Amino acid sequence: MKTSKQGLFIDFDDDSRIKEFTETSTDNKKCINDEEPNLLIGKTEEGEIVKSAIDPKCSGSPSANTFVIGGSGFGKTASYLIPLILQCNSSFVVCDPTQEMLSVVGPILENHNYKINVLSHKDLKNSRSYNPMDYVYSADGIPDNSRIHALAKNIVSSFLQDETFYYEATLSLVEAVIHYCIDFMPEEKRNLKTICDLISVGLKESQNNDETELDALFKKAFTENPKSKAFYFYKRFKFLCEKTARSIIIVFMANFGGWLHNSEYLELVGVNNSERKKIDIREAGNRKTAIFVDFGFDGNIPLFKFLTKSIYQQLSIELTDVVRETKKKLPVHFRFIVSQEVPQPESFDGHMASFVKRYNMSKTYVYDSVGQAKACIKDMMEFEMYGCSQVIFLGSFDFETCEWFAKMLRMGCEGIEEMMNLGKEHEIAICRNHSGEHFFLLRKLNFKDHPFYKQIYET
């Protein structure tokens, strides 16, 4: 049966079913509370807002996990992300390469007592600093080997492909130097610059021509604390012949270490900036916090690629550990907004899979196409999409994407053309709750219609 709205060969839920869904997204209507992280889905032809009522207190409530696909110009930012943020009902981290979102929602978030953190190399005046080495410790202050390993993998994977010989060898070197910093360097020296400085002296010969200056440092440190994990990883690295070891150090410095010769970038990673405030990711689950990561079109530079990966991964670990240690949900819902600007962090998948409503955390994926999602999330794409309670298709001219959604809607091959002809005014929402799976054909939202936007910009 065709709908009267778009001529699509599918029975979409009518307005009465949409209203019923909005009112009964939880087992108990009393659970619906505008202060909970309700998700705006779209609006009906009559202009009524459609939302999925998310309540972590109710077992029958859907999760806040959402997957959004929309081609360029189909409203991913204006019709979905900005209205989502304007709800002001959760903390979040988002990549904002053009500062489009921050410029619109910044005054509104401040009006709702958010702590706004910006990490940007283009706007250093307003940017905070972020030192990933601050978060390699467990809650009791003991270095955590799993966090150190994940940090090292994030550094190396920012410029080398996984599971190659050079990758594994470089990983051993970086992990050895991180352990050395923790065990033998003063606290103020535990940063990315020290890591790069130590690795660079691996190219310099010491007074003993049979070893490098880095060899001499590790030899001296061994007499102080032979039980340090630094020696285990450095020994693995030293199995390489001298020529290969030098080659690995040169590649590291050329691709990663070289960027830290810029004094402004040093401030960004917490070096020589005692007056610059740091991002405290541990407080993100205790009060309303907004973290905007803005590296613009330089996001593929290894240093910035690493920082983006690292802040997402360390947020996931820190907030998950808080929940596990306190055995209580986060006081404020935290949303990870993951887009094509976010490289997949090492160890991210395992933590993201555990982001269920009982932790009061969620993730929102936003991509241009199915192909882009597969490239970013790799083998996890289907798992993540089908694990989301809301899947929203904003429109696309990409054949693979339209074919994918035609299959999800059980339309067959004839539905591909219909998906391509969806237009820029409408969207398709696939929403799942305790009553089953619902297909909605809705009009897109406009962030300028949000009441919080009007309060700030129209008064």
Side-chain angles (χ1 to χ4, degrees):
M1 174 182 174
K2 293 183 179 181
T3 65
S4 58
K5 298 173 185 175
Q6 291 288 309
L8 299 177
F9 288 88
I10 185 171
D11 281 321
F12 286 100
D13 289 15
D14 58 24
D15 289 352
S16 63
R17 291 291 302 280
I18 292 174
K19 183 177 180 181
E20 180 184 349
F21 169 82
T22 301
E23 293 178 348
T24 61
S25 289
T26 61
D27 283 342
N28 185 345
K29 292 184 182 180
K30 294 180 180 178
C31 292
I32 299 176
N33 183 346
D34 285 337
E35 294 182 358
E36 299 295 349
N38 296 313
L39 295 172
L40 301 183
I41 304 297
K43 58 185 179 182
T44 64
E45 293 293 335
E46 290 71 29
E48 293 186 15
I49 298 296
V50 180
K51 67 180 180 180
S52 183
I54 309 300
D55 193 333
K57 302 182 186 71
C58 298
S59 60
S61 169
S63 73
N65 299 332
T66 307
F67 211 105
V68 180
I69 297 283
S72 179
F74 279 88
K76 294 187 298 295
T77 301
S79 297
Y80 187 78
L81 282 180
I82 292 179
L84 176 72
I85 293 172
L86 286 178
Q87 285 293 87
C88 295
N89 54 17
S90 67
S91 295
F92 62 89
V93 57
V94 65
C95 273
D96 186 20
T98 62
Q99 290 197 348
E100 179 183 2
M101 284 181 279
L102 178 61
S103 62
V104 173
V105 305
I108 298 168
L109 295 177
E110 285 185 336
N111 196 45
H112 285 79
N113 300 315
Y114 269 77
K115 181 175 182 179
I116 300 176
N117 299 280
V118 178
L119 186 65
S120 172
H121 73 301
K122 298 184 298 182
D123 187 15
L124 284 169
K125 180 180 178 181
N126 296 311
S127 176
R128 292 176 180 260
S129 66
Y130 164 60
N131 181 9
M133 287 286 288
D134 290 342
Y135 303 100
V136 296
Y137 306 93
S138 60
D140 51 8
I142 299 173
D144 185 334
N145 291 332
S146 63
R147 298 183 192 212
I148 294 170
H149 181 64
L151 178 64
K153 290 184 74 174
N154 276 337
I155 291 175
V156 179
S157 63
S158 67
F159 63 93
L160 284 177
Q161 293 293 323
D162 294 359
E163 299 179 359
T164 63
F165 166 76
Y166 274 89
Y167 176 89
E168 295 297 335
T170 308
L171 182 62
S172 294
L173 173 62
V174 172
E175 204 156 352
V177 172
I178 292 175
H179 278 283
Y180 181 93
C181 286
I182 294 169
D183 293 339
F184 301 103
M185 302 294 288
E187 185 175 353
E188 64 272 13
K189 291 287 187 179
R190 297 171 192 169
N191 52 53
L192 292 177
K193 183 178 186 300
T194 301
I195 292 172
C196 295
D197 289 346
L198 286 170
I199 290 176
S200 68
V201 300
L203 296 173
K204 299 178 181 178
E205 292 184 354
S206 67
Q207 294 178 350
N208 181 353
N209 291 333
D210 292 334
E211 61 182 20
T212 66
E213 289 187 12
L214 186 59
D215 293 335
L217 288 173
F218 271 81
K219 189 175 181 180
K220 180 182 178 182
F222 185 79
T223 62
E224 299 175 16
N225 180 14
K227 294 183 179 180
S228 171
K229 294 279 287 185
F231 306 115
Y232 166 77
F233 291 105
Y234 196 63
K235 186 177 181 180
R236 289 180 58 182
F237 173 71
K238 293 303 290 182
F239 280 130
L240 302 173
C241 66
E242 181 181 349
K243 186 177 180 180
T244 304
R246 288 179 62 85
S247 173
I248 284 172
I249 294 174
I250 290 170
V251 169
F252 175 88
M253 294 305 299
N255 286 279
F256 190 86
W259 295 102
L260 289 171
H261 291 299
N262 186 312
S263 60
E264 293 182 342
Y265 295 171
L266 287 177
E267 286 193 22
L268 197 65
V269 296
V271 181
N272 301 328
N273 63 333
S274 57
E275 296 182 359
R276 188 180 296 275
K277 293 182 179 180
K278 290 186 176 182
I279 293 177
D280 185 358
I281 65 177
R282 292 190 178 98
E283 70 172 3
N286 295 319
R287 59 165 295 179
K288 286 186 175 180
T289 304
I291 301 175
F292 293 89
V293 181
D294 167 30
F295 293 129
F297 297 107
D298 296 327
N300 285 325
I301 291 175
L303 175 62
F304 301 143
K305 191 176 179 180
F306 158 72
L307 290 174
T308 304
K309 293 171 73 171
S310 186
I311 198 166
Y312 271 76
Q313 181 239 17
Q314 290 186 333
L315 271 164
S316 72
I317 293 175
E318 291 292 335
L319 297 180
T320 302
D321 284 354
V322 166
V323 173
R324 289 171 178 169
E325 288 164 10
T326 61
K327 297 182 180 179
K328 295 180 180 179
K329 298 181 181 72
L330 294 176
V332 179
H333 185 90
F334 194 92
R335 181 173 286 114
F336 290 80
I337 301 175
V338 184
S339 59
Q340 65 260 31
E341 291 87 12
V342 183
Q344 189 72 351
E346 301 301 321
S347 305
F348 200 57
D349 291 340
H351 286 276
M352 290 297 275
S354 67
F355 287 1
V356 292
K357 60 187 178 182
R358 65 175 179 271
Y359 286 1
N360 208 11
M361 292 187 285
S362 66
K363 72 270 192 183
T364 298
Y365 287 111
V366 183
Y367 292 112
D368 282 348
S369 65
V370 167
Q372 188 182 76
K374 288 179 178 178
C376 292
I377 317 177
K378 301 177 182 176
D379 297 337
M380 296 292 291
M381 202 279 285
E382 288 191 40
F383 172 80
E384 291 292 344
M385 180 179 283
Y386 285 102
C388 291
S389 293
Q390 292 78 218
V391 178
I392 299 175
F393 177 55
L394 297 172
S396 174
F397 297 127
D398 177 68
F399 181 86
E400 182 186 11
T401 301
C402 293
E403 181 183 35
W404 183 278
F405 277 94
K407 289 180 179 178
M408 284 193 74
L409 295 168
R410 309 176 186 101
M411 297 173 67
C413 295
E414 66 272 12
I416 299 174
E417 184 178 353
E418 304 297 341
M419 292 294 102
M420 289 186 173
N421 294 330
L422 182 64
K424 295 193 175 183
E425 298 297 322
H426 290 83
E427 65 180 37
I428 293 174
I430 304 169
C431 300
R432 307 176 178 112
N433 64 3
H434 67 281
S435 64
E437 192 171 56
H438 303 265
F439 300 146
F440 301 143
L441 179 64
L442 304 170
R443 296 189 70 83
K444 291 177 183 174
L445 297 166
N446 185 335
F447 70 85
K448 293 183 180 180
D449 293 333
H450 198 285
F452 290 164
Y453 180 89
K454 293 180 178 180
Q455 287 176 10
I456 294 293
Y457 293 98
E458 295 185 9
T459 59

